[in-house]
């Protein structure tokens, strides 16, 4: 038994043995609710699709579709929930819906590939862009903002108030800026007063120059 354990054949087999890989977890996706029998976006409105056989219909369905084609349908579904009219393709609500679908897709990608820094950076930029759009909607049209968050399942949180720590350097800088602003305002006031005094003379000169011509 000792010779068998130390035989060169077993040593070679140990060196070439593959490590056991851990099975990846199946994370939930926003594309799970899309039925596999649904047709792709480019073929859904073609009338001849209804007369094709089952093999061709399966090739044109989401069962054989890529992730990009499924994302187009998911974006259209979210846009249909918030758009103002059938021709609305660029309102703030539509932009929020498109960004929401992309953000969720990037979150799912990061769950499988947590070290993808480029994808994380794009996701944070998209989240920042969506926050700005939602903040504008909340400030201008609150009813539309509330309906958009409800339809898309977005939980909006108010940004924290910025509190500056008062230091001696900041107080000196503020006093200096205030002094510069007051001096500039005095200069502008003097120039404005000078122009106001010169205006009647200019008007009088223009009338005298136009009188001989008439």
């Amino acid at each position: 038994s000792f010779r068998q354990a130390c035989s060169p054949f077993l040593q070679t087999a140990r060196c070439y043995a593959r490590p056991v890989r851990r099975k990846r977890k199946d994370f939930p996706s926003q594309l799970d609710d899309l039925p596999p029998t649904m047709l792709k976006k480019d073929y859904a409105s073609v009338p001849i699709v209804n007369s094709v056989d089952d093999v061709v219909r399966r090739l044109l369905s989401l069962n054989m579709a890529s992730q990009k084609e499924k994302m187009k349908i998911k974006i259209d579904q979210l846009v249909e929930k918030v758009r103002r009219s059938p021709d609305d393709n660029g309102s703030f609500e539509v932009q929020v819906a498109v960004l929401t679908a992309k953000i969720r897709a990037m979150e799912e990608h990061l769950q499988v590939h947590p070290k993808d820094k480029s994808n994380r950076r794009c996701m944070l930029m998209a989240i920042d862009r969506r926050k700005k759009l939602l903040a504008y909607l909340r400030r201008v049209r609150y009813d539309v903002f509330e309906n958009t968050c409800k339809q898309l399942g977005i939980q909006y949180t108010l940004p924290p108030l910025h509190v500056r720590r008062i230091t001696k350097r900041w107080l000196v800088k503020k006093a200096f800026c205030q002094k510069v602003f007051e001096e500039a305002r005095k200069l502008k006031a003097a120039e404005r007063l000078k122009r106001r005094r010169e205006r009647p003379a200019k008007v009088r000169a223009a009338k005298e120059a136009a009188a001989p011509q008439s």
Side-chain angles (χ1 to χ4, degrees), residues 106 109-121:
M106 287 185 279
H109 177 80
L110 283 173
Q111 287 178 346
V112 182
H113 308 281
K115 294 185 179 181
D116 192 349
K117 297 182 179 180
S118 177
N119 190 83
R120 186 180 298 277
R121 177 176 175 272

Side-chain angles (χ1 to χ4, degrees), residues 16-195:
Y16 283 94
R18 294 182 179 179
V20 179
R21 295 183 179 179
R22 294 182 179 178
K23 187 178 180 181
R24 290 183 176 178
K25 297 180 180 179
D26 294 332
F27 296 99
S29 174
Q30 63 173 345
L31 306 178
D32 293 340
D33 58 343
L34 296 177
T37 57
M38 181 184 291
L39 295 176
K40 299 178 184 178
K41 182 181 178 182
D42 299 333
Y43 304 103
S45 58
V46 179
I48 199 174
V49 174
N50 298 323
S51 60
V52 298
D53 56 354
D54 295 339
V55 178
V56 178
R57 190 175 181 85
R58 185 180 180 187
L59 291 173
L60 301 181
S61 64
L62 296 183
N63 197 7
M64 306 292 290
S66 62
Q67 192 82 359
K68 186 176 181 181
E69 292 171 335
K70 292 180 181 179
M71 274 297 300
K72 289 181 181 179
I73 296 179
K74 177 54 67 175
I75 289 175
D76 288 345
Q77 289 181 353
L78 295 183
V79 168
E80 285 295 333
K81 293 181 180 180
V82 297
R83 67 178 7 164
R84 304 177 186 177
S85 63
D87 299 330
D88 181 17
N89 295 318
S91 62
F92 287 95
E93 307 93 285
V94 172
Q95 295 181 45
V96 170
V98 175
L99 287 172
T100 300
K102 293 181 179 180
I103 289 169
R104 290 173 181 172
M106 287 185 279
E107 286 178 347
E108 295 165 6
H109 177 80
L110 283 173
Q111 287 178 346
V112 182
H113 308 281
K115 294 185 179 181
D116 192 349
K117 297 182 179 180
S118 177
N119 190 83
R120 186 180 298 277
R121 177 176 175 272
C122 293
M123 184 188 69
L124 293 176
M125 291 173 62
I127 291 174
D128 187 57
R129 173 64 179 165
R130 188 179 67 174
K131 280 183 180 179
K132 292 180 180 179
L133 294 174
L134 288 174
Y136 176 80
L137 281 176
R138 185 176 182 273
R139 186 172 66 252
V140 178
R141 301 182 63 184
Y142 188 81
D143 55 340
V144 177
F145 159 79
E146 197 172 18
N147 180 62
T148 302
C149 293
K150 181 180 178 182
Q151 294 293 334
L152 300 178
I154 301 174
Q155 186 176 1
Y156 181 80
T157 55
L158 292 174
L161 296 175
H162 178 69
V163 180
R164 182 186 292 274
R165 188 168 62 91
I166 298 177
T167 59
K168 186 176 180 180
R169 180 180 179 182
W170 182 78
L171 290 174
V172 173
K173 185 178 180 180
K174 183 178 180 181
F176 177 73
C177 292
Q178 187 71 21
K179 186 176 181 180
V180 171
F181 173 75
E182 292 176 357
E183 293 294 331
R185 187 169 60 177
K186 288 180 182 178
L187 292 175
K188 289 181 180 180
E191 293 178 0
R192 199 179 297 113
L193 181 62
K194 184 179 179 181
R195 292 174 189 171

